[in-house]
Amino acid sequence: MEELRLDAQLAARLRRATRAVALSGAGVSKESGLGTFRGAGGLWEDRRQTGSAATGDRRSRGRPEELATPEAFYRTPGKVWRWYAARYATAAAAAPNPAHHALARWESLFPSFLLVTQNVDDLHQRAGSRRLVALHGTLAEAVCDSCGRRRPMGEAVAASPAEPPECSVPGGGTGCRGRFRPAVVWFGESLPAAALETASRAAAACDLLLAAGTSALVYPAAGLIETALRAGACVVEINPEPTPFSRFAHLRLAAPAGTALPALTEAIASCRSMTG
Ligand code: BJW
């Protein structure tokens, strides 16, 4: 992306911003080779429409609301487990892209910054982001659905590649008899309370919110954009496709995050280095 030119009013808002929040979604990891959920080529694209059989377990049929749910896991545990095992392997082999690296820089650009991610890959962390909350859990761990014990996903998949492994925490000699599942948040499940509380407070108090690579369809995460707008924050959106919030954004960059985010970050750094 060419150098970004900001109009004077927007440049002034970006220069004055002290409390920034970024909400990231699957589109930020797209250029690292990870699929988005919705839209063309997404993980939830209906294969009957594309006729593609080459995507293996990483794509799955049906509406997301019917797939990433506890009900789907209990109905077809092996299918759901293998889907996550394949996605875990892809994420583990992926590397952060320029969008992740640009966002890691935001910690030094603003006096207060919080990255709120919906992503379950750990690419932001691997790019160096530290002030981060993950709203939808992590692919890197499995958690017992009965006793809550956690173990690395890689270890759980190696122990049982085709079906979710049973938990064998000793207890009364029988073990807990639960099953491991990915430590992610499915539809109908509560988000981690502390992470949501931190994100909500930051959105209510921010003067700049960036929404990058998210369709902004899933709540309560998408509600953070509404919260920031209501608080009077400047809202910037990076997404090649429009979202329900596009028309409210003060700046909309209809481009891939891997190019738009470094360009925006340079523009912010340059206007913040100016005095006055
Ligand atoms: C690029 C790009 C590039 C492409 N660069 N961009 C209020 C109203 C209505 C419904 C609800 C509500 N509150 C709660 C609900 C119910 C539900 C919900 O939101 N439903 C809606 C779908 C209608 N929410 C929940 O159930 C949540 N729990 C909850 O609220 O608990 C309390 C409660 C319980 C019961 C009833 C009511 C309340 C939990 C939500 C959990 C979401 N989990 C998932 C799966 C995680 C595990 C996994 O990875 O499999 O999280 S769903 C999936 O969607 C995943 C994502 O984090 C999430 C968001 O998706 P995201 O990141 O936006 O990705 P995409 O694919 O949608 O969009 C990618 C975008 O990138 C696109 O726009 C592209 O254009 C763009 N893009 N290339 C930049 N290169």
Side-chain angles (χ1 to χ4, degrees):
M1 193 176 183
E2 287 167 23
E3 191 185 333
L4 193 59
R5 288 174 190 276
L6 303 171
D7 72 50
Q9 211 183 357
L10 188 67
R13 288 193 81 170
L14 295 176
R15 184 162 58 241
R16 284 198 305 266
T18 56
R19 298 174 307 279
V21 171
L23 173 67
S24 71
V28 167
S29 295
K30 173 103 179 263
E31 289 149 274
S32 292
L34 306 191
T36 59
F37 294 93
R38 299 163 188 84
L43 289 163
W44 280 320
E45 186 177 38
D46 190 329
R47 270 183 287 174
R48 285 165 297 189
Q49 286 170 2
T50 63
S52 164
T55 48
D57 255 347
R58 268 170 297 156
R59 286 194 200 174
S60 198
R61 283 181 196 183
R63 282 157 46 83
E65 294 81 351
E66 291 164 8
L67 219 135
T69 62
E71 292 76 18
F73 181 66
Y74 292 110
R75 201 171 46 240
T76 52
K79 181 182 172 191
V80 173
W81 181 252
R82 290 190 295 278
W83 187 58
Y84 278 97
R87 285 179 52 207
Y88 164 76
T90 307
N97 68 54
H100 299 103
H101 290 294
L103 270 176
R105 265 187 81 193
W106 282 42
E107 294 185 6
S108 59
L109 285 180
F110 299 96
S112 162
F113 173 65
L114 183 70
L115 173 54
V116 180
T117 188
Q118 299 168 83
N119 295 347
V120 296
D121 59 57
D122 61 354
L123 294 179
H124 285 303
Q125 293 90 329
R126 283 200 263 151
S129 284
R130 294 292 171 262
R131 290 187 224 151
L132 166 148
V133 292
L135 291 183
H136 293 161
T138 176
L139 261 185
E141 287 182 334
V143 60
C144 171
D145 64 359
S146 173
C147 73
R149 182 165 81 99
R150 286 179 173 249
R151 66 193 289 201
M153 186 69 175
E155 180 193 297
V157 170
S160 178
E163 294 291 329
E166 281 185 13
C167 182
S168 54
V169 166
T174 55
C176 106
R177 292 176 183 264
R179 258 187 310 194
F180 280 97
R181 52 162 280 182
V184 298
V185 180
W186 283 325
F187 284 109
E189 294 184 323
S190 299
L191 277 65
L196 182 58
E197 171 74 14
T198 302
S200 303
R201 278 178 191 272
C206 73
D207 46 17
L208 169 63
L209 181 132
L210 166 71
T214 177
S215 59
L217 292 172
V218 174
Y219 282 78
L224 298 172
I225 308 173
E226 282 171 32
T227 302
L229 282 166
R230 247 184 262 118
C234 175
V235 170
V236 177
E237 180 175 76
I238 295 179
N239 196 319
E241 303 297 329
T243 77
F245 292 96
S246 298
R247 65 199 176 99
F248 302 109
H250 300 89
L251 173 66
R252 174 170 153 67
L253 302 175
T259 47
L261 239 160
L264 175 67
T265 304
E266 272 313 315
I268 292 175
S270 131
C271 75
R272 290 181 77 82
S273 68
M274 289 181 212
T275 51

